[in-house]
């Protein structure tokens, strides 16, 4: 299992490298965005651990460019930033997981193994559902050729639904995928944001793309409603 560690804190990067090596991983390290982008483009990795605050290209920029180049290697963002919007931005840009510093090394290993087991399924450059489209790189949403302005949370929710179009997803799955696995607030916040989305992507276009499946959750119609 080959892993790329990208962190400009050299002692921390070396600690992670040694620990992962002891766990049987083959590890390469980069300390800035430019070197990380080159390594991830020129070599094959099973996962990338990517810090956000980097010199010569931050983690968001590296991630955006990787996905633009259609490099789908699973990426775990490792950072001291732990705000909701920081996490949402990371997922919006194509991150697969997010871990904040300080962190448990055991948890890091477990999450890396989980990412590697899932593999790197190809993600279309533009997600489409009928005449509804979402461009993860430009973070642009359109319906019938008309751009729709969404908040970061609305965008994250729509992207989650579009990546699972045709499938019924529960509130719990949405909270874990869009908010945070450790979210302990009111789960009805999902209903609130579903309503927000419907007002923006369905109502103005006389569509019903987001379906409520009673007693189970929500489903985005494969035809766009």
């Amino acid at each position: 299992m080959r892993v790329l560690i990208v962190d400009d804190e050299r002692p921390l990067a070396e600690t992670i490298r040694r620990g992962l090596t002891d766990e049987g991983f083959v590890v390469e390290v980069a300390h800035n965005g430019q070197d990380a982008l080159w390594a991830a483009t020129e070599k094959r990795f099973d996962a990338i651990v990517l810090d956000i605050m980097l010199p010569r290209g931050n983690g968001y920029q590296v991630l955006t460019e990787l996905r633009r180049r259609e490099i789908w290697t699973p990426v775990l963002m490792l950072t001291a930033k732990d705000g909701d919007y920081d996490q949402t931005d990371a997922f919006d840009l194509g991150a697969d997981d997010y871990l904040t510093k300080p962190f448990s090394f055991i948890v890091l290993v477990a999450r890396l193994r989980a990412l590697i087991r899932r593999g790197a399924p190809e993600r279309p450059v533009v997600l489409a559902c009928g005449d509804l489209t979402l461009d993860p790189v430009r973070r642009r949403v359109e319906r019938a050729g008309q751009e729709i302005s969404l908040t970061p949370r609305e965008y994250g929710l729509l992207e989650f639904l579009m990546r699972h179009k045709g499938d019924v997803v529960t509130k719990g799955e949405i909270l874990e995928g869009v908010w945070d696995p450790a979210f302990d607030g009111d789960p009805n916040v999902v209903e609130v944001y579903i309503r927000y989305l419907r007002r923006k992507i369905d109502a103005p276009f006389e569509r019903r793309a987001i379906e409520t499946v009673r007693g189970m959750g929500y489903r985005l119609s494969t035809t766009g409603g």
Side-chain angles (χ1 to χ4, degrees):
M1 296 179 288
R2 296 179 55 83
V3 176
L4 174 64
I5 305 297
V6 187
D7 200 307
D8 64 332
E9 296 182 46
R10 291 175 182 265
L12 176 60
E14 177 59 19
T15 297
I16 296 174
R17 187 197 66 77
R18 289 200 308 265
L20 291 180
T21 299
D22 290 343
E23 292 289 331
F25 293 86
V26 176
V27 183
E28 187 166 325
V29 178
H31 299 297
N32 62 68
Q34 183 175 318
D35 289 348
L37 187 59
W38 179 87
T41 301
E42 298 297 322
K43 303 178 183 181
R44 186 193 66 81
F45 294 97
D46 297 297
I48 299 172
V49 178
L50 179 63
D51 190 20
I52 290 178
M53 304 303 292
L54 294 168
R56 299 168 67 186
N58 65 44
Y60 291 140
Q61 294 170 327
V62 172
L63 180 59
T64 298
E65 183 62 19
L66 287 177
R67 298 313 188 218
R68 189 190 70 79
R69 297 183 186 184
E70 300 187 17
I71 296 172
W72 311 118
T73 307
V75 173
L76 186 154
M77 303 299 284
L78 182 63
T79 177
K81 303 177 71 176
D82 61 356
D84 285 347
Y85 288 113
D86 297 317
Q87 297 184 43
T88 300
D89 287 343
F91 289 128
D92 284 349
L93 294 173
D96 298 273
D97 203 352
Y98 192 105
L99 193 60
T100 57
K101 302 175 183 177
F103 61 91
S104 163
F105 182 74
I106 295 174
V107 172
L108 173 63
V109 172
R111 292 195 177 185
L112 277 176
R113 292 192 191 280
L115 287 180
I116 292 171
R117 281 197 303 270
R118 291 202 296 266
E122 182 174 333
R123 308 172 206 196
V125 175
V126 176
L127 304 176
C129 186
D131 61 357
L132 177 65
T133 61
L134 182 149
D135 185 335
V137 174
R138 295 190 299 158
R139 300 183 67 180
R140 182 184 179 95
V141 175
E142 294 183 355
R143 174 144 240 178
Q146 179 178 329
E147 184 174 2
I148 301 172
S149 177
L150 300 179
T151 66
R153 187 72 74 190
E154 292 166 349
Y155 179 96
L157 176 56
L158 178 59
E159 182 175 11
F160 182 85
L161 293 173
M162 292 190 75
R163 292 194 185 279
H164 296 84
K165 66 180 179 180
D167 298 331
V168 177
V169 289
T170 67
K171 284 184 182 179
E173 290 170 332
I174 292 173
L175 286 173
E176 183 174 350
V178 180
W179 272 260
D180 186 293
F183 178 80
D184 60 358
D186 187 348
N188 287 328
V189 69
V190 173
E191 295 179 18
V192 173
Y193 275 87
I194 288 289
R195 287 199 300 271
Y196 291 163
L197 264 188
R198 282 173 168 157
R199 290 172 188 167
K200 292 185 176 182
I201 71 167
D202 277 351
F205 303 91
E206 299 183 348
R207 306 280 206 282
R208 298 188 64 179
I210 303 176
E211 305 169 350
T212 299
V213 182
R214 192 172 298 277
M216 298 180 66
Y218 303 94
R219 175 173 54 208
L220 185 67
S221 166
T222 56
T223 62

